[in-house]
Amino acid sequence: MSTKQTTPASISLPTYKEGAANPQWCPGCGDFGALSAYTEALRDLTNQELFGKSSWEAYRFAKPLLLPDGYCQKTFLGVAPHTIVTDGGIGCMGQFPQYVNTYAVKMPHGRLLPFAAGLGAMRPDLMIFGVGGDGDGFAIGAGHIANFPAWTINITYLIANNRVYGLTKGQTAPGSVRGTATKGTPYGSPRHQQNFIDIAIANGWTFVARIAVCGKTKDDFDTKKQAVEILKQAIVHPGPSIVIDETECPTYNKEITPEYLREHVVPIDALGPHNPADQNAASRLARVEIKEKKENIILTGVYYHAERESFHQYLGITEPLLFKRRNREEAKKLLNKFA
Ligand SMILES: Cc1ncc(C[n+]2csc(CCOP(=O)(O)OP(=O)(O)O)c2C)c(N)n1
Ligand code: SF4
Ligand SMILES: [Mg+2]
């Protein structure tokens, strides 16, 4: 993160790129679209007015403003470069935190959620944004996808589903469709594609959505605009949010091109009304699309959205734990409880 001080007025889109490294992704990599949607979402939230104050001011006055309701409302604790932690895994998408001007961490493969759990528990005033690939999330990290949401800690997790292990040169990944031929599976992989949305709903993620940043579809539907809106909703959602980004790896996955995505993306609303609060309806919707064959559709939009008592609400915690100063005696007493 840049150490240069910024004034509230100067926080804009360039601020989120200031001092960040130049992306090392291949030309045409879908991760560029995800990065751009993320920074635009941050820009919009940064400039949002709340409680009659800009979010920057709200950050500074967060404590008095938010005490009555607790810290479950991550939204407006202030979205600004110094209040955001972008938490990456390993893989091409895992490089993402280096390319944005926020605090950044890079965890071992599949382990961004344990870090988020610890940080989110202690610092609910921060906005935590996890980023990784389909392999990182649903292969080596799958145990955390299952366990993390049970803690009802407030984060947003963006997973790039390019359907390959991009960084390690294109092996099949949890997002790969059955029959995918790679160097490691020259006759086509017999493994079925995992249904990420269904897994997320079943495991208790309380905001579950899919995006695809691929321009305008044949029906003139703007996928980037939808992606930015969904990321904003996911960030604002007071609980574990997961967003699957259907994207391309032009280097190792020649089948999923932007044209392919534009042809197959259909917004959920186009199928008729959907109530995201209805978990059964959301699970049914998650099974509408079977992407084993090319002619099937890729639904984008919010599948599921529910409120659930948070970790901090349950424990009655109304201020970030690290802000609370304890003297030595108090700390000793607390530790002795675990002896
Ligand atoms: C413990 C461990 N096992 C294996 C690896 C090798 N490895 C690095 S990235 C990667 C796969 C990344 O695929 P994905 O998460 O889909 O990200 P992408 O590169 O496609 O964005 C693997 C297997 C590793 N870094 N650490
Ligand atoms: S290998 Fe694929 S996922 Fe990785 S940077 Fe290149 S295009 Fe992107
Ligand atoms: Mg991948």
Side-chain angles (χ1 to χ4, degrees):
M1 183 176 170
S2 160
T3 49
K4 200 176 144 204
Q5 284 291 321
T6 47
T7 61
S10 71
I11 297 182
S12 61
L13 194 57
T15 313
Y16 284 107
K17 296 175 181 166
E18 196 180 279
N22 278 332
Q24 300 298 301
W25 295 315
C26 311
C29 176
D31 294 349
F32 285 101
L35 182 63
S36 164
Y38 177 47
T39 47
E40 286 188 26
L42 294 182
R43 173 207 52 199
D44 290 357
L45 290 174
T46 304
N47 295 329
Q48 197 146 340
E49 286 270 325
L50 59 143
F51 310 118
K53 293 178 185 296
S54 73
S55 54
W56 174 282
E57 288 171 307
Y59 172 75
R60 296 170 58 201
F61 299 105
K63 199 171 161 187
L65 278 173
L66 292 178
L67 269 178
D69 295 329
Y71 270 83
C72 60
Q73 301 176 16
K74 73 177 160 188
T75 329
F76 298 118
L77 292 165
V79 173
H82 69 293
T83 67
I84 300 167
V85 179
T86 310
D87 171 18
I90 300 293
C92 297
M93 184 65 168
Q95 297 171 14
F96 192 107
Q98 302 163 54
Y99 306 147
V100 60
N101 181 25
T102 66
Y103 283 103
V105 283
K106 191 165 169 65
M107 295 310 291
H109 202 12
R111 301 295 183 270
L112 70 90
L113 285 175
F115 177 83
L119 183 65
M122 295 302 280
R123 292 292 305 270
D125 56 313
L126 295 176
M127 186 202 123
I128 304 171
F129 194 87
V131 274
D134 52 326
D136 195 62
F138 285 95
I140 195 167
H144 300 298
I145 296 253
N147 281 280
F148 176 84
W151 292 98
T152 51
I153 285 171
N154 211 351
I155 74 149
T156 301
Y157 185 8
L158 175 65
I159 298 192
N161 181 22
N162 57 11
R163 311 174 190 201
V164 284
Y165 286 171
L167 190 74
T168 48
K169 298 189 180 298
Q171 300 87 346
T172 53
S176 306
V177 295
R178 197 172 211 199
T180 298
T182 66
K183 276 189 190 159
T185 55
Y187 303 110
S189 168
R191 189 186 200 274
H192 284 280
Q193 185 187 44
Q194 283 169 234
N195 188 327
F196 300 155
I197 298 284
D198 209 13
I199 292 170
I201 296 168
N203 282 291
W205 290 83
T206 48
F207 183 96
V208 181
R210 174 180 278 135
I211 60 172
V213 186
C214 56
K216 285 195 177 173
T217 67
K218 55 184 183 318
D219 300 323
D220 209 32
F221 177 72
D222 189 336
T223 59
K224 168 84 176 288
K225 198 168 163 209
Q226 183 196 38
V228 173
E229 283 313 307
I230 286 180
L231 287 180
K232 278 154 59 179
Q233 287 175 34
I235 289 167
V236 165
H237 172 69
S241 307
I242 193 163
V243 179
I244 308 297
D245 175 28
E246 296 295 335
T247 189
E248 64 270 30
C249 166
T251 305
Y252 295 111
N253 187 342
K254 303 291 181 195
E255 297 219 340
I256 310 298
T257 60
E259 295 72 37
Y260 176 91
L261 291 171
R262 283 197 288 273
E263 234 171 75
H264 289 78
V265 162
V266 173
I268 287 175
D269 298 348
L271 297 190
H274 167 60
N275 175 11
D278 181 341
Q279 194 175 21
N280 290 331
S283 295
R284 276 198 303 278
L285 197 61
R287 294 182 211 129
V288 161
E289 16 132 40
I290 311 151
K291 288 174 281 172
E292 312 280 323
K293 293 199 179 87
K294 281 201 161 188
E295 63 269 23
N296 291 314
I297 57 176
I298 297 172
L299 287 179
T300 56
V302 179
Y303 283 75
Y304 184 53
H305 190 182
E307 296 293 326
R308 208 175 183 193
E309 189 181 41
S310 75
F311 174 88
H312 298 94
Q313 284 171 318
Y314 180 77
L315 294 175
I317 295 168
T318 55
E319 64 180 303
L321 302 183
L322 288 184
F323 288 178
K324 195 170 163 149
R325 302 234 178 274
R326 288 200 167 87
N327 64 33
R328 212 171 258 268
E329 281 313 303
E330 262 188 310
K332 243 190 206 168
K333 252 193 231 164
L334 195 63
L335 285 175
N336 282 340
K337 283 190 183 178
F338 297 93

